[in-house]
Amino acid sequence: MEGSACAPSELTREEERLLIRDITVAAEANSKEGDTFYLINYRWWQHWLDYVNHDMTSNTNNVAGSYGSHYYESACSSSPRRPPPIDNSDLIYDAASEVSNVEMELHDTLVEGRDYILLPQEVWEKLYGWYGGGPMLPRKAISSGLSQTDLAIEVYPLRLQLLLDPKGEQAIVRISKKEKVRELHRKACEVFDLILDQVSIWDYYGRKKHALMDDMEKTLDDANIQMDQDILVEILGNGNGNTFGGGSSPGQENGSIEKDPASVVAEPCKSSLSVAEGLSASKNASRSCSSEFSQSQILASPSSDLDNLQVTNSINTRGASVGLTGLLNLGNTCFMNSAIQCLVHTPEFARYFREDYHQEINWQNPLGMVGELALAFGELLRKLWAPGRTPVSPRPFKTKLARFAPQFSGYNQHDSQELLAFLLDGLHEDLNRVKHKPYIKSKDADGRPDEEVADEYWANHIARNDSIIVDVCQGQYKSTLVCPVCGKVSVTFDPFMYLSLPIQSASSRTITVMIFTSDGSALPTPCTVSVPKQGRCKDLIQALSNACSLKSWEKLVLAEIRGHMIHQFLDDPLVLLSTIKDDDHLAAYKLPNLARSTGFLQLVHRQEELVPGNSSNSVVWKPFGTPLMSSISQEEISTRGDLHDTVQAIVHKMLNPMQRSEDLQASSLSNSSNFAVTHTSQDINTSEACKDSSDDNVTDNKSHGVKTTGFKIFLQLDDDNACIDLSIDEEKTMELPLTSSFLLFINWSQNDLERYNTKYLENLPEVFKHTPAPKRSRGEPLSLYACLDAFLREEPLVPEDMWYCPRCKEQRQASKKLDLWRLPEVLVIHLKRFSFSRSTKHKLETFVNFPIHDFDLTNYVANKNSSQRQLYELYALSNHYGNMASGHYTAHIKMQLVDENRWYNFDDSHISAINEEEVKSNAAYVLFYRRVKGEGATTSNGAHSYATYNHNPSRR
């Protein structure tokens, strides 16, 4: 029910923002199963954000929790008006349902972050109280996975069709999958006005009595009840316990029943998005809108019509069409169909699962699925390789999949590569021949030959992991880590199931920035992020904020460093990133987001430098390293001594992580060296920094009240390099310049330089360091070889993957280099087309020129023991068409039917022959390559020839 428009809130926009922020933080901290969340129109939420955040200087750090930071992008240039009443009407179907007992139905293709967001109940109540509107769309938090702490919002509860026997009445109910059977039983009786004791309910999957639902304490999730499933509500009657003459309802033959189109509930075509993924209900939605009703109609069609519907006339099977069987789309399951077709048409898997594989099932493996996933996959594979072209429903397999991988439950669109990764790992554990995994401690290489270390790692791996998946899909790569501080080299040899190759998009660029903290909590760390090539500074700030896990009370100040000083602040969010050159040096400072009266200190380091002269050598103070930044409250500064003491404490705190180990126990102030300035002002190079104003000796300084501990600190008063020594006349009242940023020079003594490891201040990386382009990729827009080069190229680890150096005994952001060592029979390559962050989700449409024949990896294999060329042939690939919000998956498979070797397009239940030229497109997502063993090698698939590869060295 919509609420009426409320009177305007008496709170200011700033008070509204802060109150919602505090409520959100508290709600997130105390979230538990059963909590209520509300859907709210994304456009209205964006309007409210623009309203409350107007005129704020930073638009990335002021919104509460994961809700605000995820969606804050204000495009308003003028002051936004107060939002109107909340309008959620776009989220629901306009037409009233023709079926009783159905609540307001959400559109099935809604995407969180595009159409709606989820707010805790407390937040909704505040906004609703201020603005009114509606309708209210509450949803419950449920547990997801095995851990009770993993919560998800069930945006789409189960939609079940109740069929009353023997009256033939129908009704649709919505119910949470975490509700117990008892609640479904109660709802059924309430809908049809029946007495509980006189009714039993059945899992009526496929219009057959699949299972009597008599365990009232079992949840619907545990009972494997899925979206849009039929539930038979049976009135207990005479004799045999029901009113069916032989256990069949009207229209039922041989235990099954056909759906009469006239009796089916008239509802809009829906893809039944039902999965709740964490606090994000959906990633994207498929263009597919298949329903099980339409599929049952197809299955009931005459065979001639079926041929026309399911397989195009362009297919000439020239014999038995074994392997040319499609999969029905159950509603957004094209991602699963594409992945399954690639796996079942892998020759080694087809042969293995068509033989007796049951003896290899590991029923006791705690890491597996007690053999159920392997059995479900094997059964589905056999159906797809059986004679005939009738499409197969993957419903039983999907049910098992949802049981063991809740992230793939429901009918949302998902990622085919993520499903492939889960399937390969799950099948491996179900079929692992190792019943009891031994504990094996890996040894360091310690200078041993790579061949010896690699064989040792592989033997240890096989001792714990031995299955058909390992035999076919697993390889090994050499990983080399180099500590940037001590130069320690660590070599490991790790297994891989697939290679995820980055796509070097022409529309993006990488930028490296050194991150500094103002609280001394971490060492300066380089951070490399990918940003749009034509993006703006706000994109760079957002990417850096995500990468360095910026807190809600922090903000990033981005600056360009030149000559060891801050050249300019990149504080305009609309400045184009194209103005940042590859040889620039950038620093980002994590500062607390405090009140407006707060100023910022620029702390420039200086050290003594001898300058040879004609008669004598003079000493000047020259800037070095990277300046630091910190915030300071101007209201707390009244004298020079106040500023001196405050800056001393800030500097020692920020430099503390750089303190050498032998000085860690020393007091940060009491052991600081005393420095007496003995050089005249004429010795100071004023073009580099401001002059040292003191030429008195220590005694004179003491007589004037000079502080003698810590660093020597000078405050620059104006652009003419006029400075004051803060250690002189500390009681003297001072007025800080009328600016938000103050420049101070910190003079380092030789003792200080020895006490701190200043290389963390001096090693400021370039924005981008150019490396020679791989020879193979020159002349090509983007080749698969170039993607492989990018994957294997040496690069620093990201901050969250810092490596523990055994020599330094500390976490380091080491550089990492990968080399292929042992190649599998089947090489699976994932092209990383999708990019995710808290604020953006996009797909790279870059065309990758991948070889179909003779994919040559000989020069990429570091193990040179084998003289045989490492050649691979493409035999399958999973394609993704469309964008993040709406996409569709298909599979291209190379097959041989009788004596014809050609490619086919598997589009759910539709199969058509295609030319080899059609295989390459910018939709290619996951590539499947099979090793070629010599000239004219032929691979087979059991009794059915699978594919013949004609080796042609001239083709690439």
Side-chain angles (χ1 to χ4, degrees):
M1 179 179 296
E2 294 191 8
S4 59
C6 299
S9 170
E10 297 181 357
L11 301 178
T12 66
R13 63 180 70 187
E14 175 68 7
E15 289 171 335
E16 282 191 25
R17 183 185 67 81
L18 294 176
L19 183 57
I20 292 299
R21 182 198 65 184
D22 294 342
I23 295 175
T24 303
V25 171
E28 287 182 336
N30 300 303
S31 294
K32 62 184 181 302
E33 185 175 6
D35 284 352
T36 301
F37 287 73
Y38 285 80
L39 279 76
I40 191 169
N41 190 299
Y42 174 75
R43 285 182 296 178
W44 189 94
W45 172 254
Q46 185 65 55
H47 189 167
W48 182 80
L49 285 180
D50 291 339
Y51 168 70
V52 299
N53 285 291
H54 183 65
D55 288 337
M56 299 195 66
T57 57
S58 173
N59 67 354
T60 59
N61 309 300
N62 302 312
V63 185
S66 62
Y67 302 95
S69 62
H70 191 90
Y71 305 111
Y72 184 80
E73 279 292 341
S74 177
C76 293
S77 57
S78 60
S79 178
R81 298 180 179 179
R82 180 178 174 81
I86 300 168
D87 183 6
N88 285 336
S89 59
D90 290 347
L91 305 181
I92 60 177
Y93 284 103
D94 295 332
S97 173
E98 298 179 13
V99 183
S100 60
N101 280 70
V102 179
E103 301 173 355
M104 287 180 291
E105 286 286 300
L106 294 178
H107 286 288
D108 284 340
T109 56
L110 300 180
V111 177
E112 185 181 8
R114 184 194 68 185
D115 304 305
Y116 70 90
I117 65 166
L118 289 160
L119 299 179
Q121 181 174 353
E122 298 85 347
V123 176
W124 164 265
E125 289 174 350
K126 282 294 181 185
L127 293 175
Y128 184 75
W130 294 335
Y131 296 95
M136 295 185 183
L137 300 173
R139 293 296 186 266
K140 292 292 186 181
I142 63 174
S143 62
S144 61
L146 300 178
S147 172
Q148 294 299 316
T149 62
D150 295 334
L151 298 180
I153 310 303
E154 194 175 28
V155 175
Y156 292 93
L158 292 176
R159 179 174 52 214
L160 304 177
Q161 179 166 264
L162 306 181
L163 305 175
L164 180 61
D165 174 64
K167 296 183 179 181
E169 297 178 15
Q170 300 182 17
I172 291 178
V173 296
R174 282 282 192 179
I175 187 171
S176 170
K177 65 181 181 180
K178 292 298 182 181
E179 288 285 2
K180 295 181 179 179
V181 171
R182 181 185 307 281
E183 178 62 17
L184 178 60
H185 193 196
R186 187 195 66 78
K187 274 183 174 283
C189 293
E190 179 182 306
V191 167
F192 295 123
D193 194 20
L194 302 173
I195 301 174
L196 286 172
D197 294 341
Q198 298 179 359
V199 172
S200 62
I201 57 177
W202 291 79
D203 179 345
Y204 206 43
Y205 165 62
R207 292 296 177 104
K208 295 181 181 179
K209 286 187 174 182
H210 184 65
L212 177 64
M213 301 175 66
D214 55 354
D215 186 348
M216 297 297 170
E217 298 306 313
K218 181 182 289 188
T219 66
L220 299 180
D221 192 20
D222 291 336
N224 278 329
I225 302 301
Q226 302 293 322
M227 179 69 75
D228 290 329
Q229 187 166 320
D230 292 334
I231 301 294
L232 181 65
V233 181
E234 186 178 67
I235 301 176
L236 300 179
N238 302 324
N240 57 6
N242 59 64
T243 56
F244 290 176
S248 301
S249 61
Q252 186 177 13
E253 297 179 7
N254 299 325
S256 63
I257 185 170
E258 281 190 17
K259 291 187 179 180
D260 180 2
S263 68
V264 176
V265 176
E267 290 188 85
C269 178
K270 302 169 185 176
S271 56
S272 308
L273 302 180
S274 64
V275 68
E277 300 181 12
L279 294 182
S280 297
S282 61
K283 279 185 189 175
N284 40 33
S286 167
R287 66 178 175 85
S288 171
C289 200
S290 303
S291 67
E292 289 209 72
F293 164 57
S294 62
Q295 292 154 10
S296 65
Q297 285 183 305
I298 292 173
L299 288 174
S301 302
S303 59
S304 59
D305 295 336
L306 183 64
D307 288 347
N308 294 330
L309 282 169
Q310 303 303 330
V311 184
T312 64
N313 293 329
S314 61
I315 295 182
N316 179 11
T317 62
R318 301 176 66 178
S321 58
V322 176
L324 278 179
T325 304
L327 286 164
L328 292 175
N329 191 318
L330 304 178
N332 280 339
T333 55
C334 57
F335 77 96
M336 182 180 73
N337 294 347
S338 173
I340 288 174
Q341 293 288 10
C342 291
L343 287 182
V344 301
H345 287 94
T346 297
E348 291 80 359
F349 294 158
R351 184 185 310 114
Y352 178 85
F353 283 99
R354 289 161 70 187
E355 297 173 352
D356 185 13
Y357 63 92
H358 295 79
Q359 59 185 352
E360 291 201 336
I361 292 180
N362 192 330
W363 306 101
Q364 288 80 36
N365 188 355
L367 300 178
M369 290 76 176
V370 292
E372 292 189 26
L373 185 66
L375 289 171
F377 180 80
E379 181 181 356
L380 180 59
L381 182 145
R382 293 186 181 206
K383 289 179 180 179
L384 291 173
W385 277 100
R389 298 205 310 250
T390 302
V392 174
S393 171
R395 177 65 176 270
F397 174 80
K398 189 179 186 303
T399 300
K400 293 295 183 185
L401 180 68
R403 174 185 292 276
F404 296 108
Q407 66 270 28
F408 298 117
S409 63
Y411 296 92
N412 275 349
Q413 184 61 276
H414 293 284
D415 189 293
S416 68
Q417 188 272 334
E418 292 179 1
L419 176 64
L420 281 166
F422 172 80
L423 278 180
L424 289 173
D425 187 63
L427 291 173
H428 158 65
E429 295 296 353
D430 265 4
L431 300 168
N432 197 346
R433 303 176 186 116
V434 179
K435 307 305 179 184
H436 303 285
K437 295 187 177 185
Y439 171 75
I440 302 175
K441 185 177 181 180
S442 59
K443 302 177 183 177
D444 194 69
D446 288 332
R448 292 182 291 162
D450 283 347
E451 292 77 7
E452 177 185 337
V453 180
D455 289 344
E456 180 182 280
Y457 270 84
W458 188 252
N460 292 344
H461 176 66
I462 295 299
R464 295 172 53 85
N465 303 276
D466 184 16
S467 70
I468 181 65
I469 306 298
V470 176
D471 298 341
V472 175
C473 291
Q474 286 199 357
Q476 186 183 34
Y477 59 73
K478 175 184 176 182
S479 176
T480 305
L481 289 168
V482 180
C483 178
V485 177
C486 68
K488 166 71 176 175
V489 178
S490 175
V491 177
T492 58
F493 291 85
D494 304 309
F496 67 85
M497 192 93 74
Y498 53 85
L499 300 179
S500 287
L501 305 187
I503 295 179
Q504 302 297 313
S505 172
S507 62
S508 65
R509 65 181 291 200
T510 58
I511 291 182
T512 299
V513 180
M514 186 70 83
I515 306 292
F516 292 84
T517 60
S518 62
D519 58 2
S521 60
L523 288 168
T525 305
C527 181
T528 301
V529 295
S530 178
V531 292
K533 204 168 188 178
Q534 302 303 322
R536 300 180 184 272
C537 271
K538 64 178 183 178
D539 299 315
L540 177 57
I541 291 289
Q542 183 64 59
L544 291 171
S545 301
N546 296 340
C548 68
S549 302
L550 197 71
K551 306 294 190 301
S552 60
W553 46 267
E554 293 178 321
K555 70 176 180 179
L556 278 183
V557 176
L558 188 64
E560 180 186 355
I561 309 300
R562 290 188 189 177
H564 308 290
M565 300 181 67
I566 294 178
H567 173 68
Q568 63 174 335
F569 289 101
L570 303 176
D571 52 0
D572 185 349
L574 299 181
V575 169
L576 291 173
L577 293 180
S578 57
T579 61
I580 299 176
K581 308 304 179 185
D582 287 344
D583 57 353
D584 287 346
H585 296 81
L586 301 183
Y589 302 91
K590 294 172 69 171
L591 303 176
N593 194 15
L594 302 177
R596 294 179 181 271
S597 62
T598 302
F600 297 102
L601 304 178
Q602 299 180 45
L603 307 172
V604 178
H605 314 286
R606 298 193 304 185
Q607 62 182 347
E608 286 182 305
E609 183 175 324
L610 291 174
V611 179
N614 294 330
S615 58
S616 63
N617 294 335
S618 61
V619 177
V620 297
W621 287 96
K622 288 288 187 70
F624 77 98
T626 306
L628 302 176
M629 280 197 69
S630 181
S631 57
I632 186 172
S633 175
Q634 300 182 38
E635 299 173 351
E636 299 176 4
I637 304 300
S638 58
T639 66
R640 292 186 181 183
D642 293 337
L643 182 59
H644 180 276
D645 293 343
T646 300
V647 173
Q648 286 284 358
I650 290 173
V651 171
H652 284 88
K653 181 179 181 180
M654 296 178 71
L655 295 178
N656 187 59
M658 307 175 205
Q659 197 165 284
R660 298 186 187 275
S661 57
E662 56 267 27
D663 293 321
L664 287 177
Q665 303 302 323
S667 168
S668 61
L669 291 178
S670 62
N671 291 343
S672 298
S673 59
N674 299 335
F675 182 77
V677 180
T678 59
H679 308 297
T680 63
S681 59
Q682 287 77 10
D683 293 332
I684 305 299
N685 187 338
T686 58
S687 65
E688 293 290 333
C690 68
K691 298 187 292 182
D692 186 342
S693 61
S694 173
D695 59 357
D696 299 325
N697 58 30
V698 176
T699 303
D700 290 338
N701 286 341
K702 287 181 179 180
S703 67
H704 288 85
V706 178
K707 285 185 177 291
T708 59
T709 60
F711 295 91
K712 293 284 286 185
I713 302 174
F714 298 84
L715 171 66
Q716 179 174 292
L717 296 177
D718 52 45
D719 293 336
D720 296 328
N721 293 331
C723 292
I724 58 173
D725 186 343
L726 296 180
S727 62
I728 299 177
D729 296 331
E730 68 214 65
E731 300 298 330
K732 185 175 181 179
T733 303
M734 67 174 297
E735 292 185 5
L736 293 176
L738 298 177
T739 176
S740 60
S741 180
F742 314 109
L743 178 62
L744 296 105
F745 293 97
I746 311 299
N747 286 5
W748 288 61
S749 69
Q750 189 58 41
N751 252 2
D752 294 325
L753 292 171
E754 293 173 359
R755 182 181 177 188
Y756 295 96
N757 192 344
T758 59
K759 72 177 180 178
Y760 294 105
L761 298 173
E762 296 172 301
N763 296 334
L764 189 63
E766 293 181 353
V767 164
F768 179 78
K769 191 171 182 63
H770 287 278
T771 56
K775 293 183 179 180
R776 286 189 183 88
S777 63
R778 289 178 180 171
E780 297 181 4
L782 182 62
S783 72
L784 186 60
Y785 291 109
C787 297
L788 187 58
D789 286 326
F791 174 73
L792 300 175
R793 184 183 302 136
E794 181 176 358
E795 59 183 14
L797 295 175
V798 294
E800 54 266 29
D801 290 335
M802 291 183 72
W803 169 68
Y804 181 80
C805 177
R807 183 180 295 168
C808 295
K809 307 297 184 184
E810 290 184 19
Q811 297 285 335
R812 301 296 189 197
Q813 193 179 6
S815 61
K816 184 176 183 179
K817 176 73 167 63
L818 295 179
D819 294 285
L820 298 179
W821 187 267
R822 188 187 307 267
L823 294 177
E825 291 300 308
V826 169
L827 179 63
V828 182
I829 294 179
H830 163 224
L831 299 177
K832 298 171 69 174
R833 291 198 176 275
F834 298 107
S835 175
F836 300 90
S837 69
R838 288 190 297 177
S839 61
T840 60
K841 299 179 180 180
H842 65 278
K843 177 190 175 186
L844 298 176
E845 298 286 355
T846 307
F847 173 72
V848 178
N849 187 17
F850 53 90
I852 296 177
H853 306 280
D854 301 332
F855 182 33
D856 192 350
L857 296 178
T858 306
N859 294 333
Y860 289 92
V861 180
N863 183 4
K864 303 302 182 183
N865 284 345
S866 175
S867 59
Q868 185 178 2
R869 294 180 67 193
Q870 304 293 330
L871 298 176
Y872 283 81
E873 295 276 337
L874 185 73
Y875 71 89
L877 63 158
S878 175
N879 302 299
H880 180 272
Y881 299 91
N883 52 38
M884 291 295 301
S886 178
H888 183 61
Y889 287 92
T890 68
H892 291 338
I893 310 292
K894 188 175 185 180
M895 298 182 62
Q896 181 176 16
L897 300 178
V898 187
D899 59 350
E900 184 181 27
N901 189 15
R902 65 184 309 174
W903 285 89
Y904 292 89
N905 178 46
F906 286 72
D907 185 355
D908 291 329
S909 56
H910 302 268
I911 304 172
S912 58
I914 58 175
N915 297 323
E916 189 172 279
E917 292 74 19
E918 299 177 64
V919 172
K920 290 189 177 184
S921 73
N922 61 354
Y925 185 42
V926 185
L927 310 174
F928 288 74
Y929 283 93
R930 193 160 185 262
R931 189 198 299 270
V932 179
K933 299 181 176 65
E935 296 287 334
T938 301
T939 57
S940 62
N941 190 17
H944 301 278
S945 179
Y946 178 79
T948 300
Y949 301 113
N950 297 316
H951 175 58
N952 185 352
S954 65
R955 299 188 65 174
R956 174 62 55 81

